[in-house]
Amino acid sequence: METPALRWLDPPEGPAVALLDQTRLPAIEAVVTCTDVPSLVDAMRRLVVRGAPMLGVAGAFGVALAAYRGDDVAAAAAAIESARPTAVNLGWGARRALAAYEQARHHDRGRDAQDAAASAAMARHGLTLVPPGARVLTHCNTGALVSGGEGTAFAVILAAHRAGRLTQLWIDETRPLLQGARLTAYEARQAGLPHAVLADAAAASLLASGAVDIVLTGADRIAADGSVANKVGTYGLAVLARHHRVPLVVVAPVSTVDTGTPDGAAIEVERRPPEEVTSLAGVPVAPAGTDAYNPAFDVTPPALITAIVTERGIAQPVSAGTLRVLVTGPDRLDGPSGDVYVERWVS
């Protein structure tokens, strides 16, 4: 992409964090410049920057910004972590940068490069699950707008396209904020992918028609038992995919696995303002004063997930045991021979 989703600005422009405003895509490519942590937290809450891996990068950059300004770095890290409570990568990135600061080390901007390497590894592993001529259904946005690399699930889709395996990309619009229609379609068009957007409610009939071979999604938090919190609507897709015998594969870095959260019931699900549902593009679509149920995420149990792809390998079947080996294995992308360190588990 010509405009990166997130950039660090040194003086004289900075110190600041420049964000591509994802709330205005694809109509306008605008940049929001955050010169302090409160403005960055506000941008996170407004979804100017979003997506699990990119929030991890943004969280780390926010701590660096506080340190550069001479602010209370610990307080800044706490504020950043609370901005989006379900997205575990946000707190992970903030805590990692805080630990580096407290140990009097220079802030490591290599996190972005590490994220890009993880993205490439996930694409390589995930490609093994995509059949030739695949018609892929995806939900929300999982590309370069949420990652230092080419994304999570979208990186696998790009790899399939380059390998000649992608016939069609189906993109859920992803109500109520339309991240699929606005952002994933934007990235798909830039990459030259054959794609079409569908209303979320049309996914059932699309799957019933036999026009989908695999569902690929990202994740905002993965519990220790393999339960996945992702953009609301993912659970519905998982139920539909299981009914129609279509594999549903989650693609996420190991940093998204939260071993401190035992299961899906323990995941805190963020609730967002009702206006996001009762309005569309700022225009009211419900009577004034109407309340709305607006969870940002839902939780899919491991029994409905075919596999979880990480930079370290593939957990299949999805269970506490397979995830534990991935998370506690050596912190590297490949084994000495260049093969994936953690192989796939097959039941």
Side-chain angles (χ1 to χ4, degrees), residues 61-343:
F61 276 31
V63 171
L65 179 61
Y68 206 123
R69 287 170 45 88
D71 296 337
D72 184 331
V73 180
I80 291 166
E81 186 169 357
S82 65
R84 301 288 306 279
T86 305
V88 66
N89 296 61
L90 178 57
W92 180 85
R95 289 192 301 272
R96 180 166 178 161
L98 177 61
Y101 172 79
E102 290 174 341
Q103 293 169 17
R105 296 181 300 183
H106 292 294
H107 172 63
D108 180 15
R109 293 185 201 157
R111 173 71 180 93
D112 194 62
Q114 180 184 1
D115 200 44
S119 176
M122 285 184 281
R124 185 169 67 253
H125 303 325
L127 182 60
T128 66
L129 302 179
V130 180
R135 298 160 299 175
V136 178
L137 173 61
T138 193
H139 190 69
C140 199
N141 177 247
T142 60
L145 292 170
V146 305
S147 169
E150 291 186 323
T152 55
F154 196 77
V156 176
I157 294 166
L158 284 173
H161 174 64
R162 291 165 184 157
R165 295 190 189 182
L166 181 68
T167 296
Q168 176 69 25
L169 175 61
W170 300 108
I171 303 170
D172 273 349
E173 61 176 351
T174 319
R175 282 280 290 152
L177 298 181
L178 306 177
Q179 292 100 326
R182 294 187 300 105
L183 307 179
T184 301
Y186 170 78
E187 292 187 319
R189 179 166 182 168
Q190 285 197 327
L193 306 185
H195 66 282
V197 174
L198 62 141
D200 291 356
S205 60
L206 183 70
L207 282 157
S209 73
V212 178
D213 300 301
I214 185 171
V215 180
L216 291 171
T217 75
D220 284 85
R221 183 184 293 252
I222 301 174
D225 71 339
S227 296
V228 170
N230 194 49
K231 182 56 59 183
V232 67
T234 304
Y235 173 52
L237 277 184
V239 173
L240 289 167
R242 176 55 57 91
H243 178 75
H244 294 289
R245 299 183 178 179
V246 173
L248 181 137
V249 175
V250 172
V251 186
V254 292
S255 59
T256 304
V257 181
D258 180 15
T259 56
T261 299
D263 52 33
I267 297 176
E268 178 185 0
V269 175
E270 176 185 352
R271 298 294 179 89
R272 296 193 58 81
E275 293 78 16
E276 292 180 353
V277 173
T278 59
S279 298
L280 183 61
V283 178
V285 294
T290 301
D291 202 359
Y293 173 64
N294 188 19
F297 307 94
D298 55 27
V299 179
T300 300
L304 295 179
I305 302 168
T306 305
I308 294 178
V309 176
T310 76
E311 71 272 34
R312 291 182 180 169
I314 302 173
Q316 184 183 11
V318 177
S319 69
T322 56
L323 281 177
R324 183 166 55 250
V325 175
L326 285 173
V327 172
T328 60
D331 189 15
R332 63 188 186 204
L333 299 180
D334 299 290
S337 65
D339 297 327
V340 58
Y341 184 81
V342 181
E343 298 290 349

